[in-house]
């Protein structure tokens, strides 16, 4: 491909946007690599050989690290990529971003606090299922009045999630009683498999302090009590799997969760997943406000305080950090559950 090829230009623009808007504050190394690709038509031409759905910067960078690329400045990284171009293209083509961040459970837990009784969790885009264990992690909520800790019933966990509470509104915090854990993913990962564990750890961006250790500890919890993960397209499988969950836990409330996954689903499939989630049980989601129109009522983006929206059955409960680092609870709700702070 030539430097003026439209695909090459699109890749350079995408990597420039990543270097400018997404990597700063999270990974100086990824910012350097992305800026390099943005200014290097030759490197962008190599990435153009990867299918469009598999050439996102975090995926490409994680794959190169998995294959042995040096975590060094751009010139050294891109020299390695040129020498291993065929391997990079092949591996990226079969991989997908499966970031499985247990920290998100810190903002999922307040939504689960509004649902009474035993719960059967069904996560869409579950990866290795690390977001299916909110009752096995210790959550520490920092407020202006101090620190509130919510621990599992058997005591403090090896996984500790720290979350800032913004806005001065009390947030409901109590551990759910989860009696079944199911997940759907195009390529489920097994917390017991060393190769899958390496891939999940490699999806953590260099420079993100404490995140690899948190993922490892959560993988140990999942490995000790594995969820039931099914492979396939959730837009097709969700009703079938929901019925299976109800058979496994007939006395539990089925809760379908879509934490940060809908952005990776084409619009038609996204709408089908939302419709099925709302039909099959309670639905908890974590999404960018502009991603879909399933909010009740509609979100006023002009006044939105930033971050993603956390919603239960489409009703927006809070603005939250996309990875679960902070939460700003809404002062008024219209849903069928009233908040019950503990």
């Amino acid at each position: 491909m030539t430097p003026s090829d439209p695909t090459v230009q699109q890749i350079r623009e995408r990597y420039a946007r990543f270097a400018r808007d997404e990597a700063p504050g999270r990974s100086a190394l990824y910012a350097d690599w992305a800026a390099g690709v943005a200014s290097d038509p030759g490197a962008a031409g190599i990435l153009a050989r990867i299918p469009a759905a598999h050439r996102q910067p975090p995926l490409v960078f994680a794959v190169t690290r998995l294959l042995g690329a040096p975590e060094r400045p751009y010139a050294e990284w891109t020299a390695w990529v040129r020498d291993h171009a065929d391997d990079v293209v092949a591996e990226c083509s079969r991989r997908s971003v499966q970031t499985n961040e247990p920290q998100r459970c810190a903002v999922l837990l307040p939504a689960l606090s509004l649902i009474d009784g035993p719960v059967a969790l069904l996560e869409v885009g579950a990866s290795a299922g690390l977001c299916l264990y909110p009752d096995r992690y210790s959550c520490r909520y920092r407020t202006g009045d101090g620190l509130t800790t919510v621990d599992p019933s058997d005591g403090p966990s090896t996984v500790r999630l720290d979350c800032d509470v913004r806005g001065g509104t009390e947030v409901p915090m109590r551990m759910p009683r989860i009696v079944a854990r199911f997940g759907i993913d195009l390529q489920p990962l097994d917390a017991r498999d060393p190769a899958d564990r390496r891939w999940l750890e490699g999806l953590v961006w260099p420079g993100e302090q404490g995140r690899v250790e948190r993922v490892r500890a959560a993988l140990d919890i999942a490995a000790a009590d594995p969820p039931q993960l099914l492979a396939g397209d959730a837009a097709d499988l969700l009703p079938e799997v929901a019925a299976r969950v109800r058979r496994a836990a007939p006395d539990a409330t089925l809760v379908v969760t879509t934490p940060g996954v809908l952005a990776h689903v084409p619009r038609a499939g996204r709408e089908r997943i939302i419709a099925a989630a709302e039909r099959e049980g309670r639905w908890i989601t974590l999404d960018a406000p502009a991603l879909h129109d399933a909010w009740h009522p509609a979100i006023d983006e002009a006044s939105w305080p930033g971050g993603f929206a956390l919603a239960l059955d489409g009703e927006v409960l809070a603005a939250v950090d996309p990875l679960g680092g902070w939460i700003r609870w809404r002062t008024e709700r219209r849903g069928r559950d009233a908040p019950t702070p503990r």
Side-chain angles (χ1 to χ4, degrees), residues 270-337:
R270 187 186 311 158
E271 292 175 350
R272 290 174 59 203
I273 290 171
I274 291 171
E278 292 184 312
R279 182 176 63 250
E280 299 293 344
R282 310 299 301 271
W283 171 45
I284 295 175
T285 197
L286 186 68
D287 300 312
L291 186 64
H292 54 72
D293 300 319
W295 313 114
H296 312 302
I299 292 176
D300 178 8
E301 292 184 57
S303 62
W304 186 249
F308 277 15
L310 170 71
L312 173 60
D313 301 325
E315 183 195 359
V316 178
L317 304 176
V320 299
D321 172 59
L323 294 178
W326 58 264
I327 183 169
R328 181 185 294 270
W329 196 258
R330 292 185 65 180
T331 56
E332 296 181 2
R333 298 187 52 245
R334 299 180 176 85
R336 62 198 199 211
D337 302 290

Side-chain angles (χ1 to χ4, degrees), residues 159-238:
V159 176
R160 191 184 75 184
L161 312 178
D162 294 311
C163 183
D164 291 326
V165 177
R166 300 180 178 178
T169 301
E170 192 172 9
V171 177
M173 305 171 190
R174 66 180 174 90
M175 279 296 176
R177 184 161 71 90
I178 299 173
V179 297
R181 307 172 207 271
F182 284 74
I184 303 172
D185 198 277
L186 291 173
Q187 296 176 301
L189 300 179
D190 188 339
R192 299 163 296 184
D193 183 88
D196 286 351
R197 291 174 70 105
R198 282 195 301 273
W199 174 235
L200 275 179
E201 293 171 13
L203 285 168
V204 176
W205 299 9
E208 293 185 308
Q209 296 297 318
R211 196 171 171 190
V212 168
E213 293 77 11
R214 182 168 61 243
V215 168
R216 285 175 181 162
L219 283 166
D220 289 342
I221 288 174
D225 180 21
Q228 297 192 49
L229 301 178
L230 296 97
D233 187 332
D236 298 322
L237 281 185
L238 207 156

Side-chain angles (χ1 to χ4, degrees), residues 57-313:
L59 176 60
V60 170
F61 296 158
V63 163
T64 61
R65 291 168 57 218
L66 181 73
L67 294 177
E71 295 188 14
R72 302 286 296 164
Y74 178 73
E76 296 178 55
W77 177 80
T78 193
W80 183 94
V81 169
R82 293 174 193 277
D83 289 342
H84 300 83
D86 291 344
D87 292 338
V88 171
V89 171
E91 191 69 17
C92 285
S93 299
R94 77 177 192 87
R95 294 281 186 178
S96 60
V97 175
Q98 293 180 286
T99 304
N100 208 187
E101 179 47 72
Q103 176 67 39
R104 283 177 169 154
C105 288
V107 295
L108 294 177
L109 187 141
L112 286 165
S113 295
L114 302 177
I115 300 173
D116 291 330
V119 166
L121 276 188
L122 168 55
E123 182 184 358
V124 173
S127 186
L130 303 190
C131 287
L132 288 168
Y133 296 84
D135 58 330
R136 304 284 180 87
Y137 306 148
S138 290
C139 295
R140 290 159 44 104
Y141 296 93
R142 292 185 292 262
T143 70
D145 298 326
L147 189 69
T148 299
T149 300
V150 185
D151 288 320
S153 59
D154 57 355
S157 173
T158 55
V159 176
R160 191 184 75 184
L161 312 178
D162 294 311
C163 183
D164 291 326
V165 177
R166 300 180 178 178
T169 301
E170 192 172 9
V171 177
M173 305 171 190
R174 66 180 174 90
M175 279 296 176
R177 184 161 71 90
I178 299 173
V179 297
R181 307 172 207 271
F182 284 74
I184 303 172
D185 198 277
L186 291 173
Q187 296 176 301
L189 300 179
D190 188 339
R192 299 163 296 184
D193 183 88
D196 286 351
R197 291 174 70 105
R198 282 195 301 273
W199 174 235
L200 275 179
E201 293 171 13
L203 285 168
V204 176
W205 299 9
E208 293 185 308
Q209 296 297 318
R211 196 171 171 190
V212 168
E213 293 77 11
R214 182 168 61 243
V215 168
R216 285 175 181 162
L219 283 166
D220 289 342
I221 288 174
D225 180 21
Q228 297 192 49
L229 301 178
L230 296 97
D233 187 332
D236 298 322
L237 281 185
L238 207 156
E240 174 188 334
V241 177
R244 179 171 173 174
V245 176
R246 283 192 291 268
R247 289 194 297 270
D251 298 325
T253 298
L254 172 59
V255 178
V256 180
T257 64
T258 52
V261 69
L262 294 178
H264 303 285
V265 180
R267 176 169 289 275
R270 187 186 311 158
E271 292 175 350
R272 290 174 59 203
I273 290 171
I274 291 171
E278 292 184 312
R279 182 176 63 250
E280 299 293 344
R282 310 299 301 271
W283 171 45
I284 295 175
T285 197
L286 186 68
D287 300 312
L291 186 64
H292 54 72
D293 300 319
W295 313 114
H296 312 302
I299 292 176
D300 178 8
E301 292 184 57
S303 62
W304 186 249
F308 277 15
L310 170 71
L312 173 60
D313 301 325

